């Protein structure tokens, strides 16, 4: 029988651009919170350290995790870095989970951070674009906002959502962030926005305006995972990792149209494809959706015994760097039939108070997007939700989902080159 | 064996010096007073020293088995690859077939037609650093006729408001190709008219105005 694995502690820094502290100081800020909340945990008890940061370019520092590791007093412990684009932080959690589930370690620390403020915004985008194909996609002027925008344009073409539908997702996420004292949007902008505000924000790559896009951030987040016996010594409120799934797709989104590996794999999605002449040989994921995430979700739900995600999941934190991809991922994460993502935002089902609130934290466009920390930070919020600690952490109970038992955290990298899903349950 | 140079387009040797200029030497500094603190309800002020450094280099990238594609560009020809076993046609090219059933069969080269269809597109109002002066521009993913993949490129000769998915296009080359995917671009194949409502056209034009002003202000012209 598999070893049960729980998250026993969580902590995150405040997200902002810039945070003037060093990366290691931001990790220390997050870890201090975790240690305060987990008084029975000693740093010496940690068996292994899995570290997550996305880019060596932002700080011109390779092997940054060695700096972090000794800074927090772990210099005798095994440490290594997980790097998988935007999926890096959630994949780091999954690697720590593997370390425990195999019986190798009892207690694993996961740290994640990114400092993106040292270079100017177009250079940040260039460095991120180096994680796209730098032989064909980047040299013609592509970068992530452009790739995702083109994917959204195709999705809109096939399934008919409007710029306003996308804007509603930005409004939800950014307004959620205003209630989150760790959130960058709360200090950077600090007031409620409307669909009109999104529509009037500066064009980045049509249909995306600045408010449709993820933030650029400095920040850090940490989690401690433990095997059942150790977990129950450290906390009386463990949050169990009950489902884990991963998947992948092509590096270049443009390669996906006829990809032979997808043919016939997603009958449920192919039926909804409109009857048009340009239908590719692989109608799902096409360039519109993330098959890597669908496979990851399928696996994670199966492991956790989830059969009706919209009903059984109480809250979801997903990595939606652009509004359109959040909408597409409602479909990929089985919250609705393929092509119907727009209905969830139109009906308010993914809002706080709806049947499945998505990105209560504000997500990457509200809480912040220090890439290597992002989904660890979102997992922190999910952890606090499941322990009903949001009133204490946020200073009010507006964002606490009462009685939450099941949360899902999702991550992906590239334009869905890799996908990851974790199911958390109390 | 010694490597022989068959053909060369030389670059200004000063680039060797320019690109290394800086080399992380401290150029300047600032001392600032900024925000500190773990949560928004626990903020404080602190002073920070910020040091500025530069770092760059030249990259000499071999295009490997795809060299034929780049040499084709110099002659204004589009060369793709196909799998002799399953027939899958690659543009961008690949040296080996990715179909799991083909067990990495070596692909063969063929010339591809200079036309295709816009699978999808976006109108760029912002970009990575090297492309800012070219804004606004249209990024397209085009399925070249007979290809099973789509290639990213630029669209020219069209009002952005007239862009649509599934639009037929022709591929044209710039006058002096340099062996780079920017050597070619796409134009509409036939007369186009907008699929957008007049309100949408007006909104898009309004969205593009500040982009054009910003480029003019920062790059002139």
């Amino acid at each position: 029988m598999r070893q049960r694995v729980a998250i026993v502690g969580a902590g995150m820094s405040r997200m902002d651009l810039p945070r003037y502290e060093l990366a290691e100081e931001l990790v220390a800020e997050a870890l201090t919170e975790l240690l305060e909340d987990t008084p029975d945990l000693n740093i010496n008890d940690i068996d292994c350290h899995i570290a997550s940061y996305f880019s060596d370019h932002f700080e011109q520092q390779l092997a940054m995790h060695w700096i972090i590791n000794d800074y927090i007093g772990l210099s005798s412990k095994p440490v290594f870095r997980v790097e998988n684009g935007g999926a890096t932080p959630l994949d780091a959690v999954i690697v720590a989970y593997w370390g425990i589930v195999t019986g190798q370690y009892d207690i694993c620390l996961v740290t994640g951070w990114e400092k993106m403020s040292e270079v100017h915004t177009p250079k940040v985008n260039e460095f991120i674009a180096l994680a796209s194909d730098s032989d064909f996609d980047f040299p013609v002027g592509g970068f992530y906002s452009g790739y995702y925008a083109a994917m959204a344009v195709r999705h809109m073409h096939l399934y008919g959502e409007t710029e306003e539908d996308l804007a509603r997702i930005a409004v939800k996420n950014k307004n959620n962030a205003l209630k989150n004292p760790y959130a960058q949007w709360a200090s950077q902008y600090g007031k409620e926005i409307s669909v009109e505000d999104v529509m009037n924000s500066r064009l980045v790559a049509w249909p995306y305006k600045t408010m449709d896009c993820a933030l650029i951030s400095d920040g850090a987040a940490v989690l401690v995972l433990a095997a059942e016996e150790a977990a129950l010594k450290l906390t009386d409120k463990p949050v169990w990792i009950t489902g884990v799934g991963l998947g992948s797709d092509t590096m270049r989104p443009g390669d996906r149209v006829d990809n032979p590996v997808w043919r016939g794999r997603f009958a449920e999605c192919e039926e909804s494809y409109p009857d048009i002449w340009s239908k590719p040989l692989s109608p799902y994921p096409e360039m519109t959706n993330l098959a890597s995430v669908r496979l990851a979700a399928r696996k994670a739900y199966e492991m956790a015994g989830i059969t009706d995600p919209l009903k059984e999941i109480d809250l979801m934190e997903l990595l939606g760097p652009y509004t359109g991809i959040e909408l597409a991922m409602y479909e990929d994460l089985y919250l609705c039939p393929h092509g119907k993502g727009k209905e969830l935002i139109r009906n308010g089902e993914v809002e706080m108070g709806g049947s499945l609130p998505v990105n209560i934290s504000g997500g990457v466009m509200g809480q912040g997007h220090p890439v290597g920390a992002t989904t660890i930070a979102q997992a922190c919020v999910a952890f606090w939700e499941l322990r009903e600690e949001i009133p204490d952490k946020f200073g009010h109970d507006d964002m606490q989902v009462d009685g939450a038992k099941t949360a899902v955290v999702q991550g992906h990298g590239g334009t869905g080159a890799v996908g990851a899903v974790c199911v958390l349950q109390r | 064996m010694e490597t022989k140079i068959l053909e060369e387009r030389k670059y200004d040797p000063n680039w060797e010096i320019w690109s290394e200029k800086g080399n992380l030497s401290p150029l300047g500094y600032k001392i600032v007073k900024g925000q500190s603190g773990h949560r928004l309800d626990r903020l404080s002020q602190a002073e920070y020293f910020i040091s500025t450094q530069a770092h760059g280099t030249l990259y000499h990238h071999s295009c490997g088995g795809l060299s034929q594609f780049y040499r084709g560009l110099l002659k204004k020809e589009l060369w793709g690859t196909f799998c002799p076993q399953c027939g899958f046609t690659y543009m961008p090219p690949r040296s080996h077939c990715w179909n799991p059933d083909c067990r990495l069969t070596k692909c063969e080269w063929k010339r591809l037609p200079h036309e295709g269809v816009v699978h999808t597109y976006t109108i760029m109002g912002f970009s990575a650093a090297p492309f800012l002066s070219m804004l606004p521009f249209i990024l397209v993913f085009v399925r070249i006729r007979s290809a099973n993949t789509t290639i990213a490129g630029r669209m020219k000769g069209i009002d952005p408001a007239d862009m649509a998915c599934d639009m037929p296009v022709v591929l044209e080359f710039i006058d002096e190709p340099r062996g780079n995917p920017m050597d070619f671009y796409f134009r509409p194949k036939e007369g186009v008219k907008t699929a957008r409502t007049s309100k949408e056209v007006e909104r898009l034009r309004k969205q593009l105005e500040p982009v054009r002003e910003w480029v003019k202000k920062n790059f002139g012209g």
Side-chain angles (χ1 to χ4, degrees):
Chain A
M1 180 152 152
R2 268 204 195 110
Q3 172 84 274
R4 288 180 87 200
V5 181
I7 302 176
V8 296
M12 64 194 273
S13 77
R14 181 171 57 83
M15 311 292 182
D16 211 345
L17 191 78
R19 285 295 310 261
Y20 290 107
E21 290 81 354
L22 299 168
E24 53 269 40
E25 292 167 344
L26 293 178
V27 172
E29 183 175 304
L31 188 54
T32 300
E33 177 174 37
L34 183 149
L35 291 170
E36 281 172 7
D37 293 352
T38 322
D40 293 335
L41 176 72
N42 295 310
I43 287 181
N44 277 330
D45 299 337
I46 294 166
D47 298 315
C48 182
H49 173 200
I50 311 294
S52 155
Y53 73 107
F54 161 63
S55 176
D56 300 317
H57 296 54
F58 291 131
E59 295 194 84
Q60 278 290 23
Q61 175 66 62
L62 276 75
M64 184 78 191
H65 52 296
W66 300 343
I67 293 175
I68 303 287
N69 191 60
D70 75 52
Y71 192 83
I72 56 180
L74 288 175
S75 52
S76 71
K77 307 293 176 131
V79 61
F80 62 91
R81 172 191 184 184
V82 172
E83 198 285 297
N84 215 8
T88 299
L90 195 58
D91 285 3
V93 176
I94 292 172
V95 169
Y97 166 86
W98 289 339
I100 296 170
V101 93
T102 55
Q104 178 99 34
Y105 301 114
D106 285 328
I107 300 177
C108 287
L109 172 69
V110 182
T111 61
W113 66 91
E114 208 79 46
K115 281 209 70 179
M116 304 169 79
S117 63
E118 295 196 10
V119 297
H120 59 76
T121 301
K123 195 54 92 174
V124 170
N125 281 294
E126 181 183 328
F127 285 166
I128 298 172
L130 292 176
S132 66
D133 185 300
S134 64
D135 284 338
F136 289 100
D137 286 356
F138 176 60
V140 295
F143 77 122
Y144 270 96
S145 306
Y147 311 140
Y148 274 105
M151 290 164 72
V153 166
R154 185 76 188 171
H155 200 288
M156 292 161 82
H157 176 67
L158 296 177
Y159 304 107
E161 50 279 351
T162 63
E163 262 183 275
E164 284 82 357
D165 287 328
L166 306 188
R168 278 187 194 103
I169 291 174
V171 170
K172 166 181 75 71
N173 291 340
K174 287 182 187 292
N175 288 350
N176 280 353
L178 297 182
K179 308 248 174 127
N180 173 351
Y182 301 85
Q184 178 176 338
W185 187 252
S187 64
Q188 189 176 307
Y189 197 81
K191 55 179 194 279
E192 291 221 340
I193 60 161
S194 63
V195 167
E196 207 52 33
D197 293 326
V198 181
M199 297 302 293
N200 290 332
S201 61
R202 187 191 186 282
L203 183 72
V204 173
W206 190 84
Y208 294 146
K209 283 76 63 186
T210 49
M211 286 191 190
D212 286 288
C213 303
L215 303 171
I216 292 169
S217 314
D218 292 344
V222 297
L223 293 171
V224 166
L225 275 59
E228 181 163 13
E229 201 184 321
L232 295 172
K233 282 184 194 151
L234 291 169
T235 179
D236 52 6
K237 289 193 287 182
V239 167
W240 303 102
I241 298 178
T242 56
V244 163
L246 296 166
S248 80
D249 200 350
T250 66
M251 163 62 133
R252 291 191 295 257
D255 278 353
R256 292 175 192 165
V257 285
D258 292 344
N259 189 348
V261 307
W262 295 134
R263 260 174 241 165
R265 295 268 295 269
F266 303 101
E268 76 276 20
C269 301
E270 297 191 6
E271 282 163 21
S272 47
Y273 201 97
D275 187 22
I276 55 172
W277 65 270
S278 60
K279 182 173 181 171
L281 294 177
S282 303
Y284 181 91
E286 232 262 29
M287 281 184 73
T288 60
N289 286 76
L290 304 188
S292 58
V293 170
R294 196 171 192 88
L295 290 182
R298 194 184 272 183
K299 179 78 193 161
Y301 294 167
E302 188 187 292
M303 223 174 121
I306 291 174
T307 53
D308 187 349
L310 191 65
K311 280 214 181 94
E312 293 171 47
I313 301 166
D314 298 303
L315 63 116
M316 186 175 268
E317 285 288 325
L318 58 76
L319 185 90
Y322 301 92
T323 48
I325 202 65
E326 178 170 324
L327 185 143
M329 286 195 301
Y330 298 157
E331 302 166 2
D332 303 329
L333 287 156
Y334 295 92
L335 306 187
C336 62
H338 185 46
K340 304 280 187 200
K342 58 184 176 296
E343 289 172 17
L344 291 186
I345 186 71
R346 286 180 188 172
N347 300 342
E349 292 200 72
V350 286
E351 308 265 359
M352 194 62 203
S355 53
L356 174 47
V358 174
N359 289 340
I360 292 173
S361 68
V364 298
M365 54 184 67
Q367 180 164 268
H369 193 16
V371 184
T374 303
T375 41
I376 296 174
Q378 290 181 272
C380 289
V381 172
F383 174 80
W384 294 329
E385 285 282 353
L386 295 174
R387 286 161 55 114
E388 301 201 58
E389 291 174 346
I390 289 291
D392 174 42
K393 292 294 177 186
F394 284 15
H396 56 78
D397 58 7
D398 295 0
M399 305 309 273
Q400 176 66 53
V401 177
D402 294 329
K405 287 194 165 51
T406 302
V408 162
V409 185
Q410 175 273 344
H412 69 272
T415 50
V418 290
V421 170
C422 272
V423 181
L424 310 180
Q425 290 181 305
R426 66 164 179 181
Chain B
M1 203 183 89
E2 199 190 330
T3 304
K4 278 191 199 151
I5 296 170
L6 302 177
E7 193 181 314
E8 187 175 12
R9 179 196 165 103
K10 292 210 189 259
Y11 55 86
D12 188 330
N14 278 317
W15 274 111
E16 300 284 358
I17 303 159
W18 295 332
S19 66
E20 304 284 339
K21 228 175 179 175
N23 269 333
L24 290 176
S25 61
L27 302 178
Y29 65 83
K30 271 192 290 200
I31 298 167
V32 303
K33 193 169 196 178
Q35 235 165 30
S36 176
H38 180 217
R39 283 170 30 171
L40 285 173
D41 51 358
R42 297 170 196 169
L43 290 180
S44 57
Q45 295 275 311
E47 291 178 8
Y48 299 96
F49 185 92
I50 300 172
S51 160
T52 298
Q53 300 147 17
H55 192 197
T57 193
L58 292 186
Y59 288 88
H60 308 281
H61 179 60
S62 168
C63 297
L66 301 185
S67 294
Q68 166 89 4
F69 170 80
Y70 297 91
R71 296 178 71 175
L73 297 181
L74 295 176
K75 292 185 279 188
K76 303 191 180 181
E77 294 170 357
L78 187 69
W79 286 83
T81 60
F82 70 100
C83 172
Q85 196 167 321
C86 75
F88 202 93
T89 298
Y90 296 98
M91 176 48 63
R94 280 176 192 253
S95 298
H96 299 88
C97 184
W98 71 358
N99 187 333
D101 295 337
C102 296
R103 301 172 68 83
L104 297 176
T105 296
K106 201 89 200 308
C107 289
E108 294 173 17
W109 288 98
K110 71 171 172 187
R111 272 202 68 184
L112 293 180
H114 292 191
E115 61 178 32
V117 169
V118 172
H119 191 71
T120 190
Y121 71 94
T122 175
I123 302 151
M124 309 276 280
F126 192 66
S127 72
F131 308 100
L132 290 170
S133 65
M134 304 168 193
L135 292 170
F137 58 84
I138 300 163
L139 181 74
V140 284
F141 285 87
V142 171
R143 188 198 278 267
I144 298 291
R145 185 153 61 81
S146 83
N148 292 101
T149 55
T150 70
I151 185 163
R154 292 294 183 85
M155 186 82 182
K156 290 185 186 173
I158 187 169
D159 182 332
D162 292 340
M163 282 304 299
C165 292
D166 297 336
M167 168 188 287
V169 290
V170 292
L171 179 150
E172 290 179 3
F173 279 88
I174 60 170
D175 289 341
E176 288 180 43
R178 301 167 65 108
N180 180 277
M182 283 280 261
D183 287 346
F184 59 85
Y185 57 87
F186 300 95
R187 278 185 185 280
K189 187 176 182 185
E190 42 210 48
V192 287
K193 61 172 197 256
T194 188
R196 290 175 161 79
T197 65
S198 57
K199 198 183 146 202
E200 285 169 338
V201 171
E202 194 193 325
R203 187 159 78 192
L204 181 62
R205 297 229 161 100
K206 234 175 106 187
Q207 288 170 340
L208 285 167
E209 270 169 29
V211 178
R212 293 204 169 93
E213 277 164 29
W214 183 86
V215 172
K216 204 169 169 187
K217 194 178 133 205
N218 285 280
F219 300 98

